């Protein structure tokens, strides 16, 4: 323990181009390092991983945790490069047996995503690597987008804000204001709700789809007219898991020109056209929505069932000991995902601990770090 | 998008809804907020009270109530009931006069405004020329004399308010008809008093503020008599036979003047300063009332020695050598005395003094020696100490009802035995079908039990929890403070007492089990008391226990108040509810939720730190659970800690100061052109000045686990249900927190025969974290037929069907944002209603109510009655969670009104419209409590038969109205305070 800690310190401080990798298979950890600037080929990496874990005889998929804590796949050179270059400072790699991986899923929100029968598509694994192997659409994190372009008037814009992880703030403010409407009686001033401010670094700002002084017309399909600022605030927060706002942008120059699509652009008129471009780590991708995803805002409550040792003994405020976490509606969570989730909660816990050293809390069992042999290459 | 579409209207369901639901605000219980005027009609025997918000309320016999509201919302300054008529005149502070009348419609009387009128002078006259100071309705009921600030008396014809200009009695006309020696210096003074001669309707008395009083003959327009006093006149009173005048003055004196035609004496018969010789305050009103026993009653307001008692609000009664100054805790608005109503009777024979103070009504029996107060059947001062919580229990068993009344009647021994003297009108309301109790918790540690069955909210019993604790004040200090030979002879009356000994004593939660007569109350300093009804006084020791809700978590520091110190030895308790168990939470934070299960003998309580379960049979703690989130700093410091915010607010105020200095400099730039330029350049930038003008903004941020007060326990619920598996049901305890977490504990309660031997065991069975993390406001288990589980002991008393234990149970969790039904025992979401996401409103209160149909006698449905933060009331169906109806009930700005709302089990509810008034509303078509009454002027209730006989000898009139059926007695003792809700509960509501 002491030794490995020392090693990693060495790596971090003396060889800046080295990326520390922590590879996890089941309950086992392996540690090694890679060159940040020359990570090499995916095939070599795959061999290395399989060798380190002594599982060369089984077929595995490799994933990594990105900065947002989402589990993304490593299955070609490109995403391998991306994984290594974006590691800060530790690259956490997760290995799953292929059979298991098929039942689970990678990608953002994988914790709550429903299982889908996609096993057949999975066959094109690392074996048929003759052509470029890209991840499945669902392996990517859904990002914020403009939707319903065919339904909404050209001057309006319907935006779906996709939150990933709980850490990133939605990040905007709304205010009361007045807008001018054309009515049968001429121009009239009517009260409206406007975006007043963006939080720097917040989700709304990073998508670039909303701007200050945009007028909010609808929240998740419900008209805002006649509602108070507080009501609209509550509606937005209550829908924050899947917030769809229809706005009238203050800047009308960037509107989607519908004519071009009518002239016969390729492909069917899809739900979503433009992907919001996230911050630096967000890959630039085209987003495809599953039609049923509109209903995927199921807020899955977490149910913990378990026996508690009879009462009066002191209890850590975290997860109860020996409890089994189950995500409602998703069936039994993958072990991997649970570990990931625990890691997340542990990080949060640790950060809160760091903030106030007075707290001496028992860590949730299973969440204690750094066991097993560390291998340095 | 389908879910946004409105569901198709099912005509059958729509018709059924009309039979089940209907919204009405029916009665206002309690004492009118900010009363400003008092009126009484001796012929109708009806009392009228006007308020500063422009409301007038009429009260007669219990159950006879009327309310009217002026459109102008101006304060009512005077009310005059026209003699012998069902009509009244009100004067508002905008100088407008209004005529109201009680009209019979469909068998019941209704109060309505007929006419309004504003007196206008000739163009160019000063506004004071027509500013009305006194109103005198003439006994003919056709004329109204209006005294004004200019000294003119105008005459107006009723009912059309036609100004009779030729009959105006101008001050000039009066001056000209005065003898020479009285004419000097008497110009431009206002009319202070107008009185009609008690025997001769052609004579009126006009009193001017500078001290001149004239008796004016209306027929011949001349001055019959005039009287000159050296002091400013305040008011005047005419003896019943018209031969004596009594005037009161601003120096605290009153004078008697003989009215006799033979000699015009310049000096009063007698002049007296009752509380002299040191300077006194003005006597503002005086009544001189004759009595067949001989000496008159002199009753006057004010006149206290300025230096030592100038701050008291007193009314003095002097009769036959006795003198008492009734000392009120709030300002006296007005008073009246109930006398012989027959104008031809020889004597006044006063029997009751009615005093309207700012915070309460006090009625004093003048016929019984010692002048004891009379208990009020209505107009109780609910806020005698500020109301901190309320709890409603429907359908009280008769036995418990009688025991509570018996306990209460012993507390009322100091009241007069006189029957309620204001008994005009007839109540047509049928007797209430069931007995309902409303329990209010107060800031001074008392719980008041009110009869809420009918139109009149009557105090039945008052429980004080103070004796359990050591407090600073000696309880006997106030009672015997007054010595025998004190001068002035002050006597405290009334129950309004705004001062709380210790805010920690405040009651925050109440739970009464009507079958077992167990009561649990919980307070501000984390104290939980379990009480039992005992018909005998007892000396007993209260078992004490401490519940450590933090459980060894180091590093948390409670910065709030200390816990209360409990008395350790045996304490004497009066008959009534007597405490036997005291649990004190540690840290002593406000108890935020409470549940009592009288069958299992368990009490559960929660604070912002956690919750616990206590076995009050074995007197031991079963378990405690800490719900704190480690990062929730705010919860740890306690609601009273203001350290952080003080620092912040100081900083902000400094910034604001600096900013305002900067901006004011900008607004007034100095003369040099350079500076002007600089100023304008600054103004270009969005500087601090613009920031200050920025509109209100709201941040859009998803709720995270780190929000403060997540551990705050909002609701606790006992249920016998399938918690672990679908084959065995077991007792369970459910708790919901502010952070959207629901904890479920399965309990093992030993059977009755071994109840004392084996301990109650509990273990955590489930924990549900709602993803939207909104505060949980209600938890409910539905049985196999989707009917809510009955209350404990309800089945044992044959008052409810036993729940269906065959089908699968369902769990309903109501958060501020969503209603969600889960299956049991495996908790998986079944259906939900996302209220906030659709409407932007949040659930503040939720309660199950049974709605009966007005058509089918035995048809009824269980639904959820919901109050939102916008003040809307909705009915949401069970178990399908379909919104049924929505009514707007409370203004959304009225936070204390929304926080105070309670629902009954039968679709009614109460909320505070002011610190002293409950508004009663009904959502049900079947259960409706509203006043229906009849007042008839022709009804010659020939007042007091046997002229002059005391009210006690008066034949006991059939006291209509069912509210009286439970026996006489039990009246209001009241007290009150301005602060409506305690800090902690207000914070909880604003979350």
């Amino acid at each position: 323990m002491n030794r490995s800690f020392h090693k990693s310190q060495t790596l971090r401080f003396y060889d800046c181009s080295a990326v520390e990798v922590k590879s996890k298979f089941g309950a086992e950890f392996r540690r090694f390092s890679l060159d940040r600037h020359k990570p090499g080929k995916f095939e070599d990496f795959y061999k290395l991983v399989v060798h380190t874990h002594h599982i060369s005889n089984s077929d595995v998929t490799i994933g990594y945790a990105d900065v947002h804590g989402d589990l993304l796949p490593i299955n070609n050179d490109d995403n391998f490069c991306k994984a290594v270059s974006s590691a800060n400072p530790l690259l956490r790699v997760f290995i799953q047996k292929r059979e298991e991986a098929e039942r689970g899923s990678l990608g953002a929100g994988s914790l709550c995503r429903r299982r889908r029968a996609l096993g057949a598509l999975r066959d094109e694994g690392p074996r048929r690597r003759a052509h470029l192997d890209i991840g499945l659409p669902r392996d990517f994190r859904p990002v914020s987008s403009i939707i319903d372009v065919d339904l909404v008037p050209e001057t309006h814009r319907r935006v779906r804000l996709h939150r990933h992880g709980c850490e990133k703030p939605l990040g905007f403010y709304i205010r009361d204001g007045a807008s001018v409407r054309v009515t049968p009686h001429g121009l009239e001033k009517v009260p409206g709700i406007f975006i007043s401010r963006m939080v720097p670094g917040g989700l709304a700002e990073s998508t670039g789809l909303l701007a200050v002084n945009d007028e909010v017309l609808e929240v998740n399909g419900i008209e805002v007219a006649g509602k108070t600022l507080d009501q609209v605030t509550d509606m937005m927060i209550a829908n924050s898991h899947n917030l769809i706002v229809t706005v009238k942008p203050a800047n009308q120059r960037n509107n989607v020109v519908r004519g071009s699509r009518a002239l016969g652009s390729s492909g069917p008129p899809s739900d979503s056209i433009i992907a919001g471009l996230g911050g630096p780590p967000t890959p630039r991708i085209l987003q495809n929505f599953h039609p049923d995803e509109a209903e995927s805002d199921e807020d899955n409550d977490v149910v913990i069932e378990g026996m508690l040792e009879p009462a009066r003994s002191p209890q850590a405020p975290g997860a109860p000991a020996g409890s089994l976490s189950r995500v409602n509606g998703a069936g039994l969570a993958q072990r991997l995902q649970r570990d990931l989730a625990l890691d997340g909660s542990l990080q949060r816990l640790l950060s809160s601990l760091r903030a106030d050293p007075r707290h001496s809390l028992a860590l949730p069992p299973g969440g204690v770090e750094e066991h097993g042999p560390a291998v340095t290459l | 998008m389908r879910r946004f579409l409105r569901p198709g209207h099912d005509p059958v369901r729509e018709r059924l809804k009309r039979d089940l639901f209907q919204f009405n605000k029916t009665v206002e219980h309690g004492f009118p907020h900010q009363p400003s005027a008092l009126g009484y009609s001796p012929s109708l025997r009806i009392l009228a009270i006007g308020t500063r918000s422009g409301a007038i309320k009429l009260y007669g016999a219990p159950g006879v109530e009327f309310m009217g509201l002026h459109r102008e919302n101006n304060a009512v300054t005077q009310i005059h009931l026209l003699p012998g008529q069902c009509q009244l005149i009100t004067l508002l502070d905008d100088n407008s006069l209004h005529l109201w009348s009680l009209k019979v419609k469909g068998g019941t009387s209704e109060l309505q405004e007929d006419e309004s009128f504003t007196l206008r002078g000739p163009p160019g006259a000063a506004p004071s020329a027509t500013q009305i100071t006194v109103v005198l309705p003439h006994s003919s009921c056709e004329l109204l004399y209006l005294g004004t600030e200019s000294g003119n008396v105008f005459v107006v014809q009723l009912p059309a308010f036609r100004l009779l200009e030729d009959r105006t009695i101008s001050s000039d006309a009066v001056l000209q008809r005065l003898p020479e020696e009285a004419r000097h210096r008497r110009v431009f003074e206002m009319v202070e008093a107008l009185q009609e001669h008690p025997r001769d309707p052609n004579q009126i008395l006009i009193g001017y503020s500078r001290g001149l009083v004239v008796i004016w003959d209306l027929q011949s327009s001349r001055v019959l008599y005039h009287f000159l006093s050296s002091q400013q006149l305040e008011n005047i009173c005419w003896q019943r036979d018209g031969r004596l005048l009594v005037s009161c003055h601003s120096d605290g004196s009153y004078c008697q003047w003989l009215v006799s035609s033979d000699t015009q004496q310049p000096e009063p018969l007698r002049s007296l300063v009752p509380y002299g010789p040191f300077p006194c305050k003005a006597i503002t009103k005086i009544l001189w009332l004759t009595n067949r026993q001989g000496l008159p009653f002199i009753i006057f307001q004010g006149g206290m020695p300025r230096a030592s008692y100038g701050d008291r609000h007193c009314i003095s009664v002097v009769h036959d050598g006795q003198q008492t100054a009734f000392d009120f805790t709030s300002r006296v608005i007005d008073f009246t005395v109930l006398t012989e109503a027959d104008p031809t009777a020889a004597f006044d024979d006063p029997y009751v003094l009615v005093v309207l103070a700012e915070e309460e009504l006090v009625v004093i029996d003048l016929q019984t020696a010692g002048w004891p107060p009379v208990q009020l059947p209505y107009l109780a001062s609910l806020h005698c100490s500020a109301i901190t919580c309320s709890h409603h229990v429907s359908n009280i068993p008769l036995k418990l009802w009688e025991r509570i009344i018996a306990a209460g009647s012993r507390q009322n021994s100091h009241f007069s035995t006189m029957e309620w003297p204001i008994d005009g009108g007839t109540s047509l309301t049928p007797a209430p079908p069931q007995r309902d109790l409303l329990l209010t918790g107060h800031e001074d540690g008392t719980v008041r039990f009110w009869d809420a069955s009918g139109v009149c909210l009557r105090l039945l019993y008052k429980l004080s929890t103070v004796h359990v604790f050591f407090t600073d004040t000696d309880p006997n200090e106030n009672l015997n403070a007054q010595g025998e030979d004190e001068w002035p002879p002050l006597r405290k009356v009334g129950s309004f007492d705004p001062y709380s000994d210790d805010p920690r004593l405040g009651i925050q939660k109440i739970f009464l089990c009507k079958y077992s007569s167990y009561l649990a109350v919980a307070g501000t300093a984390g104290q939980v008391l379990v009480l039992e009804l005992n018909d005998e006084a007892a000396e007993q020791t209260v078992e004490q226990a401490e519940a450590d809700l933090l459980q060894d978590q180091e590093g948390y520091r409670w910065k709030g108040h200390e816990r209360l110190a409990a008395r350790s030895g045996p304490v004497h308790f009066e008959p009534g509810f007597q405490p036997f168990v005291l649990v004190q939470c540690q840290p002593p934070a406000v108890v935020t939720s409470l549940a009592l299960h009288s069958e299992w003998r368990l009490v559960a309580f929660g604070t912002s730190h956690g919750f616990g379960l206590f076995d009050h049979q074995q007197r031991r703690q079963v378990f405690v659970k800490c719900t704190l989130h480690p990062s929730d700093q705010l919860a740890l410091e306690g609601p009273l800690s203001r350290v952080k915010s003080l620092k912040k607010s100081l900083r902000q105020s400094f910034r604001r100061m600096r900013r305002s200095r900067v901006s004011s400099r900008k607004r007034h730039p100095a003369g040099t052109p350079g500076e002007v330029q600089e100023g304008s350049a600054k103004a270009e930038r969005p500087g601090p000045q613009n920031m200050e003008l920025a509109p209100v903004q709201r941040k859009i941020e998803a709720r995270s686990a780190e929000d403060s007060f997540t551990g705050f326990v909002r609701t606790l619920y006992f249920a016998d249900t399938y918690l672990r598996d679908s084959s065995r049901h077991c007792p369970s305890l459910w708790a919901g927190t502010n952070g959207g977490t629901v904890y479920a504990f399965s309990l093992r309660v030993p059977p009755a025969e071994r109840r004392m031997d084996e301990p109650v065991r509990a273990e955590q069975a489930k924990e549900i974290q709602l993803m939207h993390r909104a505060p949980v406001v209600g938890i409910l288990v539905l049985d196999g037929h989707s009917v809510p589980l009955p209350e404990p002991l309800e089945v044992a008393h044959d008052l409810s069907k036993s729940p269906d234990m065959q089908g699968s149970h369902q769990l309903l969790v109501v958060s501020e944002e969503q209603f969600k039904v889960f299956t049991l025992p495996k908790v998986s979401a079944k259906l939900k209603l996302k209220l906030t996401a659709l409407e932007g409103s949040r659930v503040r209160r939720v309660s199950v109510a049974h709605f009966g149909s007005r058509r089918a006698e035995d048809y009824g449905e269980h639904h959820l009655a919901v109050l939102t933060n916008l003040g809307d009331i909705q009915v949401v169906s069970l178990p399908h969670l379909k919104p049924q109806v929505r009514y707007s009930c409370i203004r959304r700005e009225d936070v204390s009104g929304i926080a105070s709302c309670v629902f009954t089990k039968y679709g009614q509810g109460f909320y505070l419209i002011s610190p002293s008034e409950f508004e009663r509303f009904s959502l049900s078509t079947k259960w409706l409590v509203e006043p229906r009454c009849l007042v008839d002027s022709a009804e010659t209730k020939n007042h007091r038969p046997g002229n002059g006989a005391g009210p006690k000898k008066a034949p006991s009139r059939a006291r209509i109205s069912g509210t009286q059926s439970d026996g006489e007695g039990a009246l209001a003792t009241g007290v009150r305070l301005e602060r409506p809700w305690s800090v902690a509960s207000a914070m909880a509501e604003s979350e």
Side-chain angles (χ1 to χ4, degrees), chain B residues 388-389 441-443 445-447 465 505-510 521-524:
Chain B
T388 43
C389 66
H442 297 261
E443 206 189 27
T446 57
V447 178
T465 62
L505 291 169
I507 305 291
Q508 297 292 339
K509 293 284 162 196
I510 305 171
V521 297
T524 307

Side-chain angles (χ1 to χ4, degrees), chain B residues 632-661:
Chain B
D632 189 355
Q633 286 297 325
L634 213 57
L636 306 174
E637 288 173 358
L640 294 183
S641 162
R642 290 276 178 277
V643 185
K644 214 173 182 176
S645 54
L646 178 71
K647 207 195 274 174
K648 205 187 269 174
S649 68
L650 268 177
R651 197 180 302 148
Q652 269 168 356
S653 57
F654 272 116
R655 272 193 199 140
R656 208 170 297 135
M657 233 159 69
R658 212 174 303 146
R659 196 182 294 157
S660 60
R661 248 182 249 142

Side-chain angles (χ1 to χ4, degrees), chain A residues 312, chain B residues 510-513 516-521 528-531 580-581 583 593-606 611-624 716-720 730-734 745-751 755-756 758-763 791-793:
Chain A
R312 243 162 298 155
Chain B
I510 305 171
F511 201 108
L512 173 69
C513 171
S516 63
S517 314
Y518 279 114
L519 172 72
V521 297
V528 180
L529 281 164
V530 187
L531 305 97
F580 61 96
V581 161
V583 183
S593 55
L594 182 71
L596 178 76
H597 200 292
S598 42
E599 196 174 349
W600 304 335
R601 307 285 160 104
L602 295 172
V603 61
F605 47 89
F611 58 97
L613 183 67
F614 193 86
D615 175 359
H616 66 77
Q617 180 87 8
Q618 291 184 24
R619 321 260 158 110
R620 54 182 287 278
Q621 182 177 302
V622 180
F623 76 93
V624 292
L716 287 163
Y717 178 66
F718 285 108
D720 186 5
C730 65
S732 61
L733 171 66
W734 299 77
F745 282 75
S746 71
L747 310 176
R748 221 187 58 214
V749 184
R755 183 66 180 78
M756 283 308 283
E758 293 175 24
V760 177
R761 293 200 183 281
E763 48 187 42
E791 285 175 67
L793 292 174

Side-chain angles (χ1 to χ4, degrees), chain A residues 1-24 29-37 45 48 64-65 74 80 83-93 369-370 373-377:
Chain A
M1 195 82 168
N2 214 359
R3 187 176 53 95
S4 71
F5 179 71
H6 184 71
K7 278 263 162 62
S8 53
Q9 285 289 70
T10 319
L11 280 172
R12 265 175 217 162
F13 289 104
Y14 295 100
D15 189 0
C16 293
S17 69
V19 175
E20 194 184 346
V21 182
K22 183 176 146 193
S23 166
K24 192 177 174 212
F29 290 91
R30 298 285 187 276
R31 285 175 172 274
F32 51 89
S33 68
L34 293 167
D35 192 325
R36 188 184 292 272
H37 307 300
F45 175 70
L48 171 67
Y64 75 103
I74 302 181
F80 173 54
V84 174
S85 58
S86 66
N88 65 331
L90 181 79
L91 175 63
R92 292 190 295 156
V93 171
E369 275 210 295
E370 313 288 321
V375 179
T376 314
L377 292 171

Side-chain angles (χ1 to χ4, degrees), chain B residues 815-935:
Chain B
S815 76
E816 280 195 359
E817 300 188 352
Q818 298 187 3
F819 298 77
K820 211 157 180 177
V821 173
F822 298 91
T823 58
L824 279 177
K826 181 180 171 295
V827 177
S828 58
K830 208 171 157 195
L831 67 144
K832 68 180 166 193
L833 169 67
K834 295 168 81 172
L835 186 76
T836 308
L838 297 175
E839 290 178 2
S841 56
R842 290 155 167 278
V843 180
R844 279 280 176 263
R845 282 270 180 285
V846 66
S847 171
V848 179
H850 182 267
F851 292 92
S853 166
R854 64 174 149 195
R855 283 177 205 280
E857 196 51 48
D858 51 349
Y859 183 78
E861 296 176 3
H862 284 279
H863 292 300
L864 292 174
V866 179
L867 173 76
T868 70
N869 65 331
L870 303 177
D872 290 349
I873 288 192
Q874 304 196 18
V875 175
V876 174
S877 75
L878 278 179
H880 300 296
L881 300 182
K882 293 248 164 52
Q884 301 290 306
V885 283
R886 189 168 110 182
Y887 309 103
S888 73
C889 177
I890 312 176
R891 279 181 311 116
R892 70 177 59 168
E893 297 83 18
D894 185 3
V895 180
S896 65
I898 292 173
S900 64
C901 179
V902 283
F903 289 108
T904 77
K905 289 258 182 305
Y906 294 94
Q908 298 192 42
F910 300 87
Y911 67 91
L912 286 172
I913 45 175
S914 72
S916 58
E917 283 167 293
F918 271 118
E919 173 83 59
R920 187 187 196 114
F921 62 86
S922 175
L923 287 166
S924 164
T925 51
K926 197 168 178 182
W927 303 100
L928 202 67
V929 174
E930 60 181 344
R932 288 170 55 80
C933 34
L934 186 65
V935 174

Side-chain angles (χ1 to χ4, degrees), chain A residues 43-82:
Chain A
E43 226 157 312
D44 301 332
F45 175 70
Y46 183 82
K47 278 179 196 151
L48 171 67
V49 167
V50 169
H51 174 75
T52 336
H53 281 277
H54 306 293
I55 42 170
S56 22
N57 48 353
S58 50
D59 209 2
V60 295
T61 59
I62 302 174
Y64 75 103
D66 80 337
V67 286
H68 303 289
D70 291 334
L71 188 61
L72 300 180
I74 302 181
N75 51 9
N76 59 30
D77 289 349
D78 287 342
N79 53 23
F80 173 54
C81 263
K82 178 76 192 168

